[in-house]
Amino acid sequence: MGGADRADRSGQAAAFDAIGGRYDEAFPHKDGQVAATERLLAELAPGARVLDVGCGTGVPTARRLVAAGHRVVGVDLSAGMLELAAKNVPEAEFHHADLTSLHAQGPDGIGEFDAVTCFFTLLMLPRAEIPGALRLLRSLLRPDGRLALSMVEADLDDAEIPFLGHTIRVSGFLRDELHQVVRDAGFEITGEETYAYAPASTDAPPEHQLFLNCRRTGQ
């Protein structure tokens, strides 16, 4: 990863550090995220190990997974978000990390997981990095492991957008292209829901959110 990419990612983290708790105020109704998590929970054995990538404040995903009796590891690039997550979900384990640096093995490896949740995290990457990030997440899953993924349906590549008084860079795919990218990374899509969502307290137009429940294929 080049220095420019790291600088961009640092800018993303700084924006979310500054946004902090206002994120949950602006996005109070996470119906799609909750529903995708419930579909995932229905497929998990008791006491599963789950990685929440881009965990944010820990609400609602990490909190719901912990409440269901699962062992949760959350990672986020924003130290400010992680501070809130540790308070909101003290039962979970949290790490300050870029998702592209994660690996299962080695001295600083985070191990393998029965499931991964990744809600609106990959959209913070340039399109060219998203297939590799999905393959990385697959490498953290045990065989037949599950992935709950969400993206905004949009034809965007590393585009600057205003977000709660800050500027962030986002990417997206149209539905069929996202399906192909996910399948090419080694996943079967087992469930899908689409939501039209208008954030509270912002002038942003409604966005179309895609929620995919997936299963790791192959060995």
Side-chain angles (χ1 to χ4, degrees), residues 111-209:
E112 293 184 329
F113 296 86
D114 300 295
V116 171
T117 57
C118 187
F119 294 126
F120 304 114
T121 303
L122 296 187
L123 61 85
M124 300 296 170
L125 302 177
R127 268 190 184 179
E129 293 187 30
I130 292 175
L134 282 166
R135 290 191 297 270
L136 185 155
L137 295 181
R138 182 185 181 279
S139 75
L140 298 174
L141 282 168
R142 298 185 175 108
D144 207 41
R146 306 301 165 130
L147 169 68
L149 172 72
S150 68
M151 291 282 286
V152 173
E153 184 176 18
D155 187 11
L156 295 173
D157 185 12
D158 204 30
E160 288 191 354
I161 65 165
F163 187 76
L164 298 181
H166 298 266
T167 298
I168 60 172
R169 306 181 71 88
V170 300
S171 300
F173 297 100
L174 299 181
R175 181 195 307 263
D176 289 347
E177 190 174 4
L178 177 63
H179 286 184
Q180 193 62 52
V181 169
V182 169
R183 292 187 179 112
D184 287 348
F187 291 98
E188 173 193 2
I189 299 170
T190 60
E192 177 179 7
E193 295 288 344
T194 304
Y195 290 80
Y197 189 88
S201 307
T202 76
D203 295 326
E207 60 188 28
H208 293 280
Q209 301 176 343

Side-chain angles (χ1 to χ4, degrees), residues 65-89:
L65 291 165
V66 164
H70 300 298
R71 296 168 292 149
V72 177
V73 177
V75 297
D76 204 284
L77 192 60
S78 166
M81 288 288 191
L82 286 172
E83 185 176 349
L84 293 169
K87 294 176 181 176
N88 288 331
V89 196

